[in-house]
Amino acid sequence: MADAILTGIPVATGIAIGKAFFVNRNHMANLPRQIVASEDMPAEIERLHAAFKDVEKELTVIRAQVPEELKSHGSLIDTHLMMLKDPKLSGASEKYITSLGLNAAWALEKAVSDQEAAFEAIKDQYIRERMQDVRVVADKVLTKLMGVHTDLSAISGRAIIMAHDLTPADTVELQVDKIMAFATVRGGKTSHTGIMARSLGIPALVGVGRLEDSVHDGDLVIIDGLTGKIVVNPTEHELADYNERAALFEDYTRKIKRHCQMPAETFDGSRVMVYANIELVEEVAAVIDNGGEGVGLYRTEYAYLNRTTLPTEDELAEKYIDLAAIMAPRKVVFRTLDLGSDKFISTFGELNETNPAMGLRAIRFCLKNPQLFKTQLRAILRASAYGNVSLMFPMISGVKEVRQAKAWLAQAKAELRREGVDYDPDMPIGTMIELPAAVLIAEFLAHEVDFFSIGTNDLIQYSIGVDRTNRHVSYLYQPLHPATLRAIKLVVDAAHQAGIEVSLCGEVASDPFCVPILLGMGIDSISMTPQAIPGIKRIIRQTNMHDCRQLLKGVLECRTVSRINNLVMDNIFKHFPEEVTFFSSLLENDELPS
């Protein structure tokens, strides 16, 4: 039996077998905590700022060395450079030195913990996981303060990279041709480690508990990006088994990639559009390579994060026009700003909301800050002249919000018209359906917009009242909860009765077990991470609408999640018996805590 079998969150599929090499371990365990005498504080403050400057210089050099394979991640290093220049983190650390007399490393750790507490209160998983950027920057400064150094040149051949956390800069220093897979202690589903791994086409796991205690440099390890397992020093039998699985997975990947440019059409001729969710313009290559028929969700928040000033209309328009022009004639759906807490846009000061998830965010935040909103609307309108652009509003809870948002859009159009700036006057307008209130009034909202986009991640959380990142209640996060399924069907029916299209852009869209149900409901399009598109297209092409409708009928008659999950799993095992081992699914939790 293997020395250890660890589990983590799979963020890039595949199987890799090789020697482990640790880039960094948790140096926080040895963080020096000392009280500094008042006469020594100026020197400690100087040491703090010198460490920030040293890391900034190092990253600037690394930024210039980004290889072609990781070109799209250069902007992530730019983000880290902006954070180093932003006085917010260094200033908060300095205050802890002067007010409490903490040494520089301890003061920085305290400042980071304060920011982590603020991020933890955010509902949106994607935004919450951006805290990783703050943490990786702070860790680099801490290694300077503590005099820790990792010699990356010690990797003599290809290796499986292990780390407490990884940054794009770490990857550049490592040389991509030596990396077989990643495994980190930190990180979530949207972490940069996963994005980098998918770009390189290698498996990766994040959030691996006991990684630093259970694996040593040079250990033979198996990274299973399909089931989320790490096998440490496997037996010969386990090794042979995984070698066979790896070969089968490579064959499967080649097969689905060969046909990924074909349309997603069922056996009996029903066509479903398959789009991609992206946050960076640099991801369009992955969208096209994987057969994406457009961008169903472009998250516009990235341009607003980790900076001290708001982006200008020209800055936004430049990015938006690039995206629209590159993807044309394919569709691009821009979601307007889905931020809320001013902790991410320091221009607006502190709000100190007790419950930010239900507070001033998304469309509410934009309507309260019309100049910011109009700047973005004008930029999106300008992009509409260069491609097939649609726009949608997030977190809509009522008809009045839609009408207010459309009024600002009309004003932006009028201004551009007076200025002689081109835009598409018929640009489709949609709304996201992610709140139970929006579901219940879908028939009213459908007459206000041109399309719906169902955001299942939020809809599930708000409908069931569960935070899936809370380990005490995460077992309740059930994508196929009867309430969720009825909510989606209600929205689809309302949209079609009003003659508008409905899309779905949550994680459910990329779950092979769930897709047949969505087809049975009559969803017009689904949108997902680009890398999931070839597999989902294959499932759609291998099924027919009659079976999907029968499955939906059976599912809607079920009263428990367990019964629904069993029906759905039986369906997949029946139709894809040889491929099912390569599928990853959200349907892995029971309804009851273990």
Side-chain angles (χ1 to χ4, degrees):
M1 192 164 172
D3 286 357
I5 296 178
L6 311 176
T7 58
I9 303 168
V11 290
T13 55
I15 294 173
I17 302 171
K19 299 282 186 182
F21 182 90
F22 264 94
V23 172
N24 61 60
R25 290 179 186 266
N26 185 13
H27 45 263
M28 293 306 119
N30 300 314
L31 183 76
R33 293 182 172 85
Q34 299 159 351
I35 298 298
V36 179
S38 57
E39 61 269 26
D40 294 330
M41 286 181 186
E44 198 63 7
I45 291 171
E46 188 177 337
R47 203 166 71 82
L48 172 77
H49 290 293
F52 270 84
K53 282 289 177 195
D54 286 348
V55 176
E56 185 184 329
K57 285 177 190 169
E58 282 184 6
L59 287 189
T60 302
V61 172
I62 292 169
R63 177 68 178 88
Q65 299 170 344
V66 174
E68 190 62 29
E69 297 93 320
L70 293 172
K71 193 177 174 184
S72 62
H73 301 294
S75 57
L76 301 179
I77 299 177
D78 290 337
T79 300
H80 293 171
L81 282 167
M82 279 193 291
M83 293 169 67
L84 286 162
K85 292 172 184 171
D86 184 348
K88 197 170 184 179
L89 188 59
S90 58
S93 307
E94 185 177 326
K95 278 185 186 173
Y96 274 120
I97 297 175
T98 54
S99 62
L100 299 180
L102 306 184
N103 64 312
W106 192 2
L108 176 56
E109 179 57 19
K110 287 278 287 179
V112 173
S113 296
D114 290 345
Q115 291 205 14
E116 279 179 331
F119 273 75
E120 280 298 317
I122 301 303
K123 180 212 66 155
D124 188 285
Q125 183 187 12
Y126 169 76
I127 301 301
R128 195 167 52 238
E129 291 187 355
R130 298 285 66 77
M131 179 62 209
Q132 294 165 27
D133 291 317
V134 180
R135 173 54 75 181
V136 295
V137 166
D139 281 358
K140 282 197 163 293
V141 177
L142 282 170
T143 58
K144 289 289 174 193
L145 290 169
M146 296 166 63
V148 177
H149 177 68
T150 301
D151 182 10
L152 300 180
S153 64
I155 307 178
S156 55
R158 299 189 75 213
I160 292 176
I161 303 303
M162 307 263 172
H164 191 71
D165 202 356
L166 276 174
T167 70
D170 292 330
T171 317
V172 172
E173 288 186 283
L174 280 167
Q175 300 179 18
V176 293
D177 59 344
K178 290 184 176 179
I179 306 171
M180 299 175 69
F182 292 131
T184 64
V185 176
R186 282 197 180 134
K189 279 186 175 292
T190 64
S191 66
H192 296 318
T193 302
I195 296 171
M196 287 188 291
R198 290 192 291 272
S199 297
L200 296 171
I202 59 175
L205 303 183
V206 299
V208 183
R210 301 189 294 118
L211 182 70
E212 291 162 309
D213 298 329
S214 306
V215 185
H216 304 93
D217 283 339
D219 279 349
L220 181 64
V221 293
I222 297 169
I223 300 287
D224 185 346
L226 302 171
T227 64
K229 287 181 183 172
I230 298 179
V231 184
V232 184
N233 291 324
T235 63
E236 287 188 14
H237 175 73
E238 288 168 327
L239 199 55
D241 181 43
Y242 269 101
N243 270 317
E244 185 179 353
R245 287 195 217 179
L248 290 172
F249 180 72
E250 284 178 18
D251 285 346
Y252 171 70
T253 304
R254 278 195 292 270
K255 186 163 62 178
I256 62 173
K257 201 73 188 284
R258 266 200 304 275
H259 303 293
C260 73
Q261 302 297 336
M262 295 174 66
E265 186 174 308
T266 62
F267 272 146
D268 43 355
S270 289
R271 181 82 160 85
V272 179
M273 300 300 289
V274 181
Y275 300 126
N277 301 338
I278 65 169
E279 64 202 59
L280 299 170
V281 175
E282 290 82 354
E283 291 179 87
V284 295
V287 177
I288 295 169
D289 287 350
N290 285 291
E293 296 170 279
V295 174
L297 169 62
Y298 177 58
R299 300 185 180 97
T300 59
E301 293 77 38
Y302 199 83
Y304 295 82
L305 296 173
N306 304 322
R307 54 186 297 160
T308 54
T309 58
L310 292 171
T312 66
E313 179 184 321
D314 284 344
E315 279 180 76
L316 295 175
E318 184 181 0
K319 286 183 186 297
Y320 297 171
I321 288 170
D322 280 351
L323 177 59
I326 295 169
M327 288 302 297
R330 300 176 182 88
K331 179 192 285 190
V332 179
V333 181
F334 287 79
R335 181 180 69 185
T336 58
L337 189 61
D338 194 11
L339 286 178
S341 172
D342 42 21
K343 294 176 179 67
F344 304 102
I345 304 175
S346 54
T347 307
F348 291 90
E350 298 291 334
L351 282 181
N352 293 320
E353 294 180 298
T354 305
N355 189 353
M358 305 246 181
L360 188 62
R361 57 184 303 270
I363 195 64
R364 303 168 185 177
F365 182 79
C366 289
L367 292 176
K368 284 277 187 180
N369 296 279
Q371 195 53 50
L372 171 147
F373 190 35
K374 202 163 64 173
T375 297
Q376 186 182 36
L377 293 176
R378 283 174 56 100
I380 295 172
L381 282 167
R382 286 168 60 181
S384 70
Y386 294 83
N388 182 1
V389 169
S390 300
L391 175 154
M392 63 182 176
F393 305 118
M395 208 181 178
I396 290 292
S397 63
V399 169
K400 185 179 178 181
E401 284 174 331
V402 178
R403 291 177 178 171
Q404 287 177 318
K406 287 167 66 177
W408 284 110
L409 182 66
Q411 195 175 120
K413 285 181 178 180
E415 289 177 1
L416 291 175
R417 198 161 49 243
R418 283 197 299 274
E419 296 164 16
V421 178
D422 289 339
Y423 67 90
D424 176 7
D426 300 317
M427 178 179 70
I429 307 301
T431 178
M432 290 203 68
I433 302 291
E434 48 196 340
L435 298 177
V439 171
L440 294 173
I441 61 166
E443 62 179 306
F444 301 146
L445 292 172
H447 294 286
E448 302 289 332
V449 294
D450 301 307
F451 66 93
F452 282 159
S453 181
I454 303 172
T456 51
N457 296 354
D458 283 345
L459 183 58
I460 294 168
Q461 293 196 79
Y462 282 123
S463 297
I464 306 176
V466 59
D467 177 0
R468 65 174 167 171
T469 66
N470 181 335
R471 63 186 174 87
H472 301 296
V473 295
S474 59
Y475 64 92
L476 290 169
Y477 185 90
Q478 295 292 343
L480 298 185
H481 190 289
T484 308
L485 292 174
R486 278 164 172 70
I488 295 173
K489 187 166 189 315
L490 195 155
V491 173
V492 174
D493 291 347
H496 288 168
Q497 282 168 14
I500 67 171
E501 292 190 353
V502 58
S503 179
L504 189 143
C505 62
E507 286 181 15
V508 169
S510 60
D511 190 317
F513 289 76
C514 300
V515 166
I517 296 177
L518 302 179
L519 297 181
M521 288 186 183
I523 285 277
D524 298 294
S525 62
I526 50 180
S527 192
M528 64 202 72
T529 181
Q531 289 73 19
I533 291 173
I536 294 300
K537 274 186 153 184
R538 176 173 170 79
I539 287 172
I540 294 172
R541 286 197 301 272
Q542 299 293 318
T543 190
N544 66 71
M545 289 303 288
H546 173 75
D547 288 347
C548 292
R549 291 189 187 106
Q550 286 299 112
L551 175 64
L552 175 66
K553 183 172 181 292
V555 160
L556 290 176
E557 290 171 355
C558 296
R559 298 186 179 189
T560 67
V561 174
S562 301
R563 178 66 186 139
I564 292 171
N565 286 354
N566 286 338
L567 265 184
V568 170
M569 289 179 184
D570 287 347
N571 176 69
I572 286 292
F573 277 96
K574 176 183 173 185
H575 292 96
F576 301 91
E578 295 176 358
E579 302 176 16
V580 73
T581 55
F582 305 130
F583 296 166
S584 61
S585 175
L586 300 167
L587 314 183
E588 52 192 28
N589 298 325
D590 202 344
E591 284 178 280
L592 298 172
S594 56

